[in-house]
Amino acid sequence: MTSAARPRDDSGQMRLVGGVIAATMLLWLAANWAGRRYGWPAEYAFLADLAAIGALVWSLLVTWRIWRRRAAGPHER
């Protein structure tokens, strides 16, 4: 991979991470609202929480990987 192609790949991954974080929060809020509104068992709330935690941890790991790749790349000014 050349240094010219790296920012394009990183920007696509950063957009993906942003989309995953936004979708996770919206779906998590919707699941909590629906669970409270329709009286779902508490196990469903824990399942929604676990899925949200998994998505946010994935987002954190991908963001960390992008940050490390940029820190290790050539420095341009």
Side-chain angles (χ1 to χ4, degrees):
M1 177 184 303
T2 64
S3 62
R6 183 173 292 148
R8 188 173 302 137
D9 295 339
D10 288 346
S11 64
Q13 285 187 346
M14 287 188 293
R15 278 193 302 272
L16 177 63
V17 167
V20 167
I21 291 171
T24 298
M25 289 295 101
L26 290 174
L27 290 173
W28 180 69
L29 288 171
N32 281 310
W33 174 83
R36 193 171 302 127
R37 170 98 165 100
Y38 298 114
W40 293 348
E43 290 84 7
Y44 292 138
F46 291 131
L47 186 61
D49 291 345
L50 187 61
I53 289 169
L56 293 173
V57 166
W58 176 85
S59 298
L60 179 65
L61 291 174
V62 172
T63 303
W64 180 76
R65 190 177 70 188
I66 292 169
W67 175 69
R68 294 295 298 164
R69 186 168 44 225
R70 285 190 173 207
H75 298 288
E76 299 175 12
R77 290 191 183 249

